[in-house]
Amino acid sequence: MQKTVKMLKKSRGAFLTCFILGLLLVLLAAAFSLYTNATKVEVFEAALEKADVGELLQIVLGNATIPGLPSGLTKGAGLTDSLATPELLSQFAQETIDYLVNKTDEWKPALSVMGIEFPIPISDDFMAHMDTVKGWVDIGQKAFYALLAVAGVLLLRVITSSRKGRSGFSGAGYYIGVILPLALVGGIIGWAYFDFEGFWMFIHQHFIKDGIFSNGEVIMQIFTTDMFKAFMQPIVTTFAMLLGGIVLLPVVVAPLCSLLKGGNK
């Protein structure tokens, strides 16, 4: 009787450990997908193609005179659209990402047109918002590594606890732990897909309250809703790939636990 009770307690322990492991792995996959794509220059460049960079150039250049061009010609929409080159977008993306990941201490974006740099007017409120975003990026990175360490310890516990005729792996616990956060992440993705503007407004109203600006903020010609929506596809693609690995993880772990179980009888 005592042996049965002891085995039941161990089974519950394996269930709980695997439940937490599955839950953490899904959350880690979501965090990794968001962080890596949000801080990847190539992804940012592709998203910037959705922004109205031509309109931004018109505002920034204003009545500026560019050597080699007739005075006032920079006010033409056709010209500013043609000046919005991939190199210009790449420069802006690189400078912004470097600031967010703490490679540089200052963010003073400028548009370089025909060798001349024109600073983008940015309000103090927007700079404060960028500081907030930078802080979130830093916190997210540290939290990711902390959770990764916890997940690693749990996985090691699952494997090493497979002894004395029992397996430390619980398939039921693991997949229930995967399904619950997956339902949450899936709901968020669905909401963002069908109503991105509503989703984006909710995020800013409740979590990033200093990030709501009027159209009068010049930099908002770049940071449009469509630009941020363009991040969705690479984020979801990365998450789906990682999720596939998470779902298949028991294919490796379960046989290993069974082998250790049999070898420790």
Side-chain angles (χ1 to χ4, degrees):
M1 182 67 177
Q2 290 180 345
K3 184 177 181 180
T4 302
V5 172
K6 188 175 181 180
M7 290 296 292
L8 287 173
K9 287 182 178 179
K10 290 180 178 179
S11 296
R12 285 199 297 269
F15 180 94
L16 181 60
T17 299
C18 291
F19 172 83
I20 298 174
L21 175 62
L23 186 148
L24 279 180
L25 287 178
V26 173
L27 294 179
L28 282 169
F32 179 84
S33 303
L34 179 62
Y35 178 83
T36 55
N37 286 287
T39 57
K40 187 179 292 184
V41 174
E42 295 81 5
V43 175
F44 192 18
E45 286 180 27
L48 283 172
E49 294 179 3
K50 301 292 184 180
D52 193 352
V53 182
E55 178 67 21
L56 177 66
L57 276 168
Q58 278 191 272
I59 296 172
V60 172
L61 298 181
N63 294 317
T65 300
I66 299 177
L69 294 177
S71 178
L73 190 56
T74 54
K75 297 176 69 174
L79 177 61
T80 52
D81 286 338
S82 67
L83 291 175
T85 62
E87 290 77 14
L88 184 149
L89 298 180
S90 177
Q91 174 194 348
F92 179 82
Q94 186 67 63
E95 290 176 353
T96 303
I97 296 300
D98 284 349
Y99 175 74
L100 292 178
V101 299
N102 214 25
K103 287 185 178 180
T104 58
D105 295 327
E106 291 186 334
W107 184 63
K108 295 181 178 180
L111 301 178
S112 180
V113 179
M114 300 182 71
I116 303 175
E117 286 200 347
F118 297 88
I120 300 175
I122 300 175
S123 68
D124 292 338
D125 288 342
F126 195 87
M127 280 305 306
H129 169 63
M130 288 298 290
D131 286 339
T132 299
V133 175
K134 184 177 183 179
W136 277 106
V137 171
D138 183 58
I139 292 172
Q141 185 183 48
K142 292 176 180 177
F144 172 80
Y145 286 120
L147 291 176
L148 184 62
V150 173
V153 170
L154 289 175
L155 181 59
L156 186 62
R157 176 182 173 82
V158 168
I159 295 173
T160 57
S161 62
S162 296
R163 62 186 186 277
K164 297 181 180 179
R166 70 178 182 87
S167 173
F169 181 75
S170 168
Y174 179 79
Y175 282 115
I176 291 175
V178 168
I179 289 172
L180 291 181
L182 180 58
L184 174 63
V185 173
I188 292 173
I189 291 174
W191 179 15
Y193 180 82
F194 290 105
D195 181 22
F196 188 82
E197 288 192 8
F199 164 77
W200 199 239
M201 181 59 68
F202 176 87
I203 292 295
H204 282 75
Q205 286 178 339
H206 293 84
F207 300 103
I208 316 177
K209 296 182 180 181
D210 66 348
I212 301 176
F213 300 93
S214 67
N215 292 330
E217 185 74 44
V218 175
I219 196 69
M220 294 307 292
Q221 298 297 328
I222 284 185
F223 292 125
T224 63
T225 303
D226 288 339
M227 189 278 289
F228 285 110
K229 187 176 181 180
F231 279 91
M232 275 197 63
Q233 182 177 346
I235 289 173
V236 172
T237 300
T238 303
F239 178 72
M241 294 173 62
L242 293 174
L243 182 62
I246 291 171
V247 171
L248 295 176
L249 182 63
V251 175
V252 176
V253 176
L256 179 59
C257 289
S258 295
L259 180 64
L260 292 173
K261 168 188 171 183
N264 287 286
K265 287 183 179 180

